Amino acid sequence: MAWQDGAAKWFNYGDLEVALKQQLLVEKNNKELLEDCFYKNLSFGTAGLRGELGFGTNRMNIYTVRKAALGLALYIKSCGEVAENRGVVIAYDPRHQSAEFGLEVAKVLGFNGIRCYLFDELQSTPLLSFAVRELNTFSGIVITASHNPSEYNGLKVYGEDGGQVTLEAANAITAHTESINDLFSVEVAEEAILLKEGLLTYLNHEMSDRYVLHLNGILLGGEPDKGLSIVYSPLHGAGGKLVSRGLEVAGFSDVTIVSEQAIPDPNFTTVKYPNPEESQAFEMALTYGYKVKADLLIATDPDADRMGVAVRDLEGEYVFLTGNQIGALLLNALLEDKSDRDTMPKNGVVLKTIVTSELGRAIADKYGVKTMDVLTGFKFISEKILEFEETAESTFLFGYEESYGYLIGDFVRDKDAVQASVLIAEVAARYKAKGQTLLDGLHELYEEHGFYQESLESITLRGKTGMAKIDEIVNYFRSTSFVKEFTKPLSIIEDYSSGHFVNVETGDRRPLNLPIANALKFILSNGAWFAIRPSGTEPKIKFYFGVKGATKVESDALLLKLKEAVMTVVEGLTSDS
C-alpha cells in the first residue's frame, strides 16, 4: 500500500482516537511528515517495537500497540492452551501513554482468552523479567522506550525464561502481526469484564519485595566500610524505589536522592536526554554531589535497565566512567570475591557483546574464566544463560555490554540497573576502605592488563531516505572496494550477515557460530578493531572502536588514528546527505 493510501485510510476512519485525529488534521498538508508516518509499518527491532509517538503505521499509538498485542496473542494461542493459561506479565514506565498502552495490551490479550498480570504502578524492566520467572508466565511485556527522548515509546516482549524473546519467537510474532491487514479491526475486552472473569490480575508491591530478597544473594562477601556517600537519580523513571531499597539492603545509609528527578515525568523536564550514558544527564546529580561531597553519583534510565556513574577524584571533581570501565570494575570485583571465597565454579563463563571492550576478557583470563562473545543486544546474553541451564556445561558468572547494561544475578534475565547500582556501590566502598576510589581501581586494571580504550560514534539519519543511506553505508563497508581502499592493515573481517569471518591475508573463511545480524567487525593486525551496526530501535548507524596500548598516551594515539581513518570514509559516504 502506498503511503498516500494509508494516510487516506486514517483520515477516513470515523472512530479514530480524538487526540490522533486532531494531530492528523493539524499536519494534513505536511507531506514529508505524512510520508514518514505511513510509508511503512513500525517493525520489531531486537525484541519489540520502538518509535516516535503519533499517528500512522510507523508510529507508536493505540492502534499499532493493539496490533502488536494481537500478534503476540496469536503466537501464544499457536503454542497451546497451557501457554494461554500461564499468561503474560505487563509492566510500564512513566512515558507518555505507557500506562494506557499497558492496559490496551491486557485488553487485547484478555479478549483472546489469555491471562494477564498487570502492575498497578510503573515498574522497571528488570522487575518485569523477574516477575515472568516468579509467576512462571509464558511471556512478558514492558511498555518503554528505555533511554530514548520523551517523544518515543516502545513495547518489549519477553519469553518464559524472563529474557527478551528469541529471534525465532520474534519472527513468529512478526509474522502473526503482519498478517493483520486492518489494524483498526483489532478487538479489545472491557477491563471490568476481564477482572470479573479472572483474566486480568493487578500486581502490587509484593513482587518488588520478592525481588529485593534476591538481591541478598549477589552481595559481595565480607563487611567493607559502608560509609560511602552516594547521590542517586532515577532520571524521572521507574528505578527510584527499587534502587533505594537495594542500597538500603546492602547497608548504605548515606544516600541522597535527587528529589526533582525522583518524580516520574514523561517529559523528563529536568534533563535533555534521560540517558545515563550521557554526562548531561548528571547535571542535577552533580549539583547534589558537590553540595554533600558524595563519593559516587549513580543514575538509571527510565526503565532502570541501564546505569551510569561518576566518581569524585582527589581534587574533588567528578569523573564519568564509560560502560566498559564500569563493567571491568564490576567483573574484577566479582571474580576476585569468588576467588577469595573459593566459590569460583570450574566451568564459569563471562558473557559480553562483540562491541564490548576486550579488557573484560583479559580480566577473566587472569582468573581462568572463559569469556564468550554474543551479538549486540542483551537478549543474546540471556539466551546463553538459558543454554547453560539446559546443558549444564557452563555456569553464568556475569554479563555486560558497553552500553551500560549489566547482569550479576540470573534471577533476572535482562540488564539490571538495580543489581548494578548495588554492586558498584559495594565495589566503591571496598576501594574507599583502602583509601582509594574506583578511579584508582581502574588504573590498577590498566597497569596490569594494558590500557584498553573504546569509543562510539553515532550518525542519525531519519526517514525513508535516511534508512536508505544507512543501508548504503553498511553495504559499502561490506564490499571488496572498501577492503582494497582502506589504509589500515586489516587482519580479520567478521560479517554477521553472512555468518562468517575471513582472514584477509590467507582468505581462510570460517563460520562465526552466531545468529545472523546486520553488523560487521574489522580486526586490524595490531589487535585494534572497529565495528559497524545499524541500530535496531533508532534511525542511527553506530561505529564502535577499540584499541590497546602499553600506556594511555599510546592508546590515545591509536584510538585517534583509527577513528579518523574510519570516519573519513563515512564522511565521504554521507557528504551528499
Side-chain angles (χ1 to χ4, degrees):
M1 182 184 294
W3 71 263
Q4 294 92 336
D5 296 330
K9 185 173 183 178
W10 278 60
F11 274 112
N12 295 327
Y13 182 56
D15 292 328
L16 191 68
E17 187 184 50
V18 174
L20 293 175
K21 184 73 170 181
Q22 290 174 342
Q23 294 172 25
L24 195 59
L25 291 174
V26 169
E27 302 292 351
K28 64 180 179 181
N29 295 320
N30 189 341
K31 291 185 178 180
E32 183 178 356
L33 176 62
L34 290 173
E35 180 178 6
D36 189 48
C37 290
F38 288 100
Y39 85 95
K40 69 171 185 176
N41 294 327
L42 196 62
S43 57
F44 260 61
T46 53
L49 302 178
R50 189 181 300 181
E52 293 182 55
L53 290 158
F55 58 81
T57 57
N58 190 33
R59 291 291 188 270
M60 285 291 297
N61 53 63
I62 191 173
Y63 302 108
T64 54
V65 167
R66 285 176 177 174
K67 180 179 176 180
L70 180 54
L72 175 61
L74 294 173
Y75 169 69
I76 293 173
K77 290 172 78 68
S78 73
C79 295
E81 187 176 346
V82 173
E84 295 177 41
N85 290 332
R86 287 174 64 189
V88 179
V89 183
I90 305 167
Y92 56 89
D93 74 2
R95 289 177 178 274
H96 288 291
Q97 295 184 270
S98 284
E100 178 186 358
F101 289 164
L103 181 56
E104 288 299 318
V105 168
K107 288 160 70 175
V108 172
L109 294 175
F111 181 87
N112 285 274
I114 297 168
R115 189 182 304 277
C116 293
Y117 302 87
L118 177 63
F119 279 100
D120 62 2
E121 62 177 349
L122 62 93
Q123 293 291 359
S124 67
T125 288
L127 188 63
L128 180 280
S129 174
F130 175 79
V132 169
R133 297 178 59 78
E134 280 290 290
L135 296 174
N136 191 34
T137 61
F138 185 76
S139 185
I141 284 179
V142 59
I143 307 297
T144 182
S146 189
H147 57 290
N148 285 66
S150 60
E151 62 267 25
Y152 282 78
N153 211 330
L155 180 155
K156 288 196 291 189
V157 184
Y158 288 75
E160 59 186 326
D161 66 325
Q164 295 177 30
V165 286
T166 64
L167 288 175
E168 181 182 8
N171 289 336
I173 295 168
T174 299
H176 284 296
T177 303
E178 291 178 349
S179 71
I180 304 165
N181 295 319
D182 183 5
L183 51 74
F184 295 135
S185 68
V186 179
E187 295 184 272
V188 298
E190 292 296 324
E191 177 187 9
I193 294 175
L194 295 178
L195 288 167
K196 182 178 180 180
E197 295 181 351
L199 288 170
L200 175 60
T201 300
Y202 278 101
L203 300 177
N204 56 28
H205 63 84
E206 182 187 355
M207 193 59 63
S208 300
D209 296 341
R210 294 193 213 176
Y211 172 94
V212 171
L213 289 175
H214 281 72
L215 283 176
N216 284 311
I218 68 166
L219 299 181
L220 299 178
E223 285 296 332
D225 179 18
K226 296 295 180 69
L228 191 77
S229 177
I230 302 170
V231 166
Y232 167 61
S233 172
L235 297 178
H236 298 294
K241 291 182 179 180
L242 270 184
V243 172
S244 298
R245 289 183 66 186
L247 291 171
E248 181 181 359
V249 166
F252 294 98
S253 57
D254 189 359
V255 180
T256 302
I257 308 297
V258 180
S259 58
E260 298 92 335
Q261 294 176 335
I263 303 169
D265 178 3
N267 294 314
F268 308 112
T269 307
T270 67
V271 61
K272 182 179 178 181
Y273 192 38
N275 185 356
E277 300 177 53
E278 306 288 343
S279 59
Q280 59 81 26
F282 280 80
E283 288 180 1
M284 279 198 163
L286 282 168
T287 300
Y288 274 69
Y290 284 120
K291 183 177 180 180
V292 303
K293 296 182 179 180
D295 300 301
L296 184 67
L297 311 182
I298 300 176
T300 55
D301 69 344
D303 67 322
D305 63 352
R306 298 173 193 248
M307 178 212 68
V309 302
V311 185
R312 187 159 61 100
D313 64 16
L314 295 177
E315 285 73 41
E317 297 299 319
Y318 287 97
V319 178
F320 295 95
L321 300 186
T322 69
N324 284 312
Q325 291 171 336
I326 297 169
L329 287 163
L330 294 177
L331 173 60
N332 184 69
L334 284 166
L335 297 186
E336 183 179 58
D337 184 64
K338 290 184 180 297
S339 179
D340 289 346
R341 291 199 281 172
D342 197 26
T343 58
M344 186 81 75
K346 294 181 179 180
N347 60 350
V349 175
V350 171
L351 297 171
K352 74 177 190 66
T353 70
I354 58 173
V355 296
T356 298
S357 174
E358 289 299 303
L359 176 56
R361 192 185 308 277
I363 292 169
D365 286 346
K366 172 188 174 181
Y367 292 96
V369 172
K370 180 180 179 181
T371 301
M372 189 177 297
D373 284 349
V374 299
L375 291 178
T376 304
F378 221 88
K379 65 185 295 178
F380 299 109
I381 291 177
S382 64
E383 286 176 15
K384 277 295 177 183
I385 298 173
L386 180 61
E387 179 184 314
F388 295 166
E389 286 181 339
E390 292 174 342
T391 64
E393 294 177 358
S394 301
T395 299
F396 170 74
L397 294 178
F398 181 64
Y400 75 117
E401 56 187 4
E402 50 76 38
S403 55
Y404 295 70
Y406 318 95
L407 181 64
I408 301 100
D410 63 4
F411 54 91
V412 169
R413 295 300 169 88
D414 202 349
K415 50 187 175 285
D416 187 342
V418 183
Q419 291 188 27
S421 296
V422 172
L423 186 62
I424 198 65
E426 283 208 299
V427 178
R430 288 193 164 206
Y431 281 113
K432 184 171 183 177
K434 296 186 294 183
Q436 296 179 307
T437 70
L438 291 175
L439 298 173
D440 297 309
L442 189 62
H443 187 74
E444 289 176 356
L445 292 177
Y446 286 144
E447 289 286 350
E448 181 177 2
H449 301 289
F451 284 79
Y452 289 82
Q453 281 207 76
E454 297 78 32
S455 185
L456 169 66
E457 295 287 335
S458 295
I459 297 177
T460 299
L461 297 165
R462 296 183 180 278
K464 186 177 181 180
T465 56
M467 294 299 293
K469 177 59 68 175
I470 288 174
D471 289 340
E472 179 185 330
I473 293 170
V474 176
N475 289 337
Y476 176 75
F477 275 93
R478 188 171 277 129
S479 71
T480 54
S481 297
F482 166 71
V483 177
K484 292 178 180 178
E485 296 168 8
F486 191 56
T487 56
K488 299 291 181 182
L490 296 173
S491 177
I492 293 174
I493 301 173
E494 298 180 348
D495 187 342
Y496 301 95
S497 178
S498 69
H500 289 83
F501 80 83
V502 176
N503 185 309
V504 176
E505 295 180 0
T506 66
D508 185 28
R509 177 182 171 93
R510 297 181 185 177
L512 285 166
N513 298 319
L514 288 172
I516 298 301
N518 187 19
L520 293 160
K521 186 173 184 179
F522 300 86
I523 302 172
L524 279 59
S525 57
N526 65 354
W529 59 269
F530 65 94
I532 302 165
R533 184 182 73 91
S535 172
T537 56
E538 302 171 84
K540 290 182 178 181
I541 181 168
K542 299 183 177 183
F543 301 87
Y544 303 82
F545 305 90
V547 300
K548 175 190 174 184
T551 64
K552 185 176 186 305
V553 172
E554 181 182 344
S555 66
D556 283 342
L558 288 170
L559 186 61
L560 179 62
K561 289 180 180 179
L562 178 60
K563 288 179 66 175
E564 285 181 345
V566 175
M567 297 314 292
T568 297
V569 176
V570 177
E571 288 168 10
L573 295 170
T574 57
S575 59
D576 59 340
S577 297

